[in-house]
Amino acid sequence: MADCGKKLESSEKPRFSFFNRSLSMYPAASAMDSPQKPHLQTPLERTSSFSKLYNSIESVRSTSNSIKGKVKKLCSIFETTATAKALPSPSDEPPQSQFSSKLKQSKSIGPDCRISSFLTSSTIRLPGTEDRIVVYLTSLRGIRRTYEDCYAVRTIFRGFRVWVDERDISMDSAYRIELQSVLGNKNVGLPQVFIRGNYVGGAEVIKQLFETGELAKILEGFPVREPGFRCESCGDVRFVPCLNCSGSRKVFDEDEGMLKRCLECNENGLIRCPDCCS
């Protein structure tokens, strides 16, 4: 029995040594299964992290405020320059605005004296037109605002059924030269109105006179046409093809046997309508 016990003891030793070798090759299960504990910040570390975050936020705010200040400065600079450019000097005031200011100043006077003073206050005159209304305009639609102003002024005068001497500079360039010589300015806007030889102004002045009722008093004494009157020769265009050259601008000279420039028409081969513009 003692021998059997010794044999069992001797046989159990290698079994425990085998398990000891396996345990020495791998770490313990408790060590593998135990998770690593997170690092807990101390109160000192927490305050330092909050201070860093606050400093970063403040730096962002300061940079944004500085950028906003620069943008506001730039906007103020551009606004001041734009207003300086938009405000004209008193010396550059066009005649149209001068007449509108005179019209505002004359509202305190009586109606009859106001109209007469308004017509006689003009220092710019168009000779030979003391008995008519002359409007320089254009029938081309190259510039929309200019065409709309010309159309509005033409419609206002046609509403009063008075005859108007419409001088279309797009039909005859001589009218542009004539208007520039009268006003003494090469860059003249359209339309421009003369009543009884006196310069009145452009579209804004005529609209203001029409809205206040002063234009009807100014036009008193002019002959009135029948309602719906329309010139059968030109269709109220005021121009017809030249009767001498039929609008070709050339005539045959029998004496010299060659074509020559027609002297009776303008650069477009047109003449003033003999029926409504005579």
Side-chain angles (χ1 to χ4, degrees), residues 209-258:
L209 288 171
F210 175 68
E211 291 173 357
T212 55
E214 300 295 331
L215 186 60
K217 299 175 182 178
I218 293 172
L219 298 179
E220 289 180 357
F222 284 100
V224 180
R225 300 186 297 179
E226 296 179 359
F229 174 80
R230 184 180 180 90
C231 180
E232 296 180 358
S233 299
C234 65
D236 286 344
V237 180
R238 307 289 186 260
F239 287 92
V240 293
C242 179
L243 302 176
N244 188 28
C245 65
S246 300
S248 64
R249 300 171 54 199
K250 294 179 181 179
V251 292
F252 183 75
D253 191 349
E254 294 180 356
D255 296 334
E256 298 182 7
M258 60 183 298

Side-chain angles (χ1 to χ4, degrees), residues 12 17-18 32 34 48 65 68 70 83 120 127 138 152 180 182 188 194 199 202 213 215 219-220 223 229 247 269 271:
E12 286 177 358
S17 62
F18 173 76
M32 291 179 66
S34 61
S48 63
N65 291 331
K68 287 181 181 177
K70 291 179 181 178
T83 50
T120 56
T138 179
Q180 290 175 352
V182 171
V188 179
F194 292 82
Y199 175 68
L215 186 60
L219 298 179
E220 289 180 357
F229 174 80
I271 60 170

